Amino acid sequence: MDPKAYPEVKFSDFWIKKQKNAFEHLDVDGDGFLTEEDFTIQVERVIKLSNLSNERAEKLRNAKWGGWHAATGGGKAKFSFEDILEGLKATVNGSLREPGVLEADASRMFDSIDTDGDGKISQSEHAVFFESIGINKDLSPPVFAKIDTDQDGIISKDEFARALIEFNLSENPDDICDFYGPMPK
């Protein structure tokens, strides 16, 4: 779906809660900040869990660092949840809706989850993504099924982009809200 087609985000309590849930899962070292170290831990977990060759491991590292460097301008950075929320509030109804912006983020993220490089995310690759951010892999199947809208057993780049856009721009609890794992009760 076109990001501009979503209603303006009003920053509801629900929207903030799902962003906080994402932050807490991405903060894999639990220090209250998103840092390069969190991305390093995620990548190394994926490499180990997927038993990647050196070549695939290097491609994965490059895909993950592409996202980090795009977000930070390549510098050392440390972001609290308040920093992330402030950045989202400043961009979610503006620059994030510009053509290609969220799609580029989704493509980089997709490439970091598609560990075998076949252009699709399998159930097992999605489970490894969950494990890499500290979520029990058994919680992956229902989220995978929501993202796999055509129910063909794989997540395409289009399905992934749609889900990430929906996660970031929708305040509807019936839409994808558990992209980064189940919402806390």
Side-chain angles (χ1 to χ4, degrees):
M1 178 178 228
D2 178 2
K4 290 190 179 219
Y6 281 88
E8 180 178 317
V9 175
K10 303 289 187 194
F11 313 113
S12 65
D13 289 344
F14 172 76
W15 185 86
I16 291 170
K17 183 177 177 180
K18 73 179 178 174
Q19 299 301 330
K20 178 79 168 170
N21 185 52
F23 177 89
E24 288 173 350
H25 288 297
L26 294 172
D27 176 22
V28 294
D29 65 7
D31 69 352
F33 296 94
L34 292 186
T35 64
E36 192 170 324
E37 181 65 17
D38 292 304
F39 282 79
T40 299
I41 293 168
Q42 289 173 38
V43 168
E44 296 310 316
R45 284 178 179 171
V46 170
I47 291 167
K48 182 178 178 183
L49 291 165
S50 301
N51 196 25
L52 297 183
S53 69
N54 289 338
E55 180 184 345
R56 283 302 311 154
E58 193 57 33
K59 286 183 179 182
L60 176 66
R61 285 184 186 102
N62 290 337
K64 201 63 148 168
W65 295 132
W68 178 254
H69 290 289
T72 65
K76 296 274 183 194
K78 177 173 161 172
F79 302 98
S80 68
F81 176 67
E82 291 73 23
D83 296 331
I84 298 294
L85 189 59
E86 181 180 316
L88 284 169
K89 284 181 174 182
T91 59
V92 77
N93 289 319
S95 63
L96 281 183
R97 292 176 187 258
E98 292 302 317
V101 173
L102 280 172
E103 293 87 347
D105 286 347
S107 182
R108 280 190 294 271
M109 190 173 176
F110 182 96
D111 291 344
S112 74
I113 297 171
D114 175 23
T115 56
D116 65 8
D118 66 355
K120 51 194 173 215
I121 296 174
S122 67
Q123 172 60 65
S124 63
E125 287 170 323
H126 188 266
V128 166
F129 163 63
F130 264 31
E131 283 187 283
S132 78
I133 59 174
I135 302 170
N136 184 314
K137 68 181 180 183
D138 295 337
L139 298 175
S140 167
V143 176
F144 183 91
K146 285 183 196 174
I147 298 171
D148 179 20
T149 56
D150 65 7
Q151 300 299 295
D152 65 354
I154 57 118
I155 297 172
S156 68
K157 272 200 175 191
D158 286 343
E159 288 170 321
F160 189 84
R162 182 203 51 79
L164 186 61
I165 290 167
E166 185 173 283
F167 175 83
N168 281 294
L169 300 181
S170 175
E171 293 185 277
N172 181 346
D174 294 330
D175 287 343
I176 301 245
C177 62
D178 49 2
F179 191 88
Y180 293 97
M183 294 283 289
K185 302 280 181 215

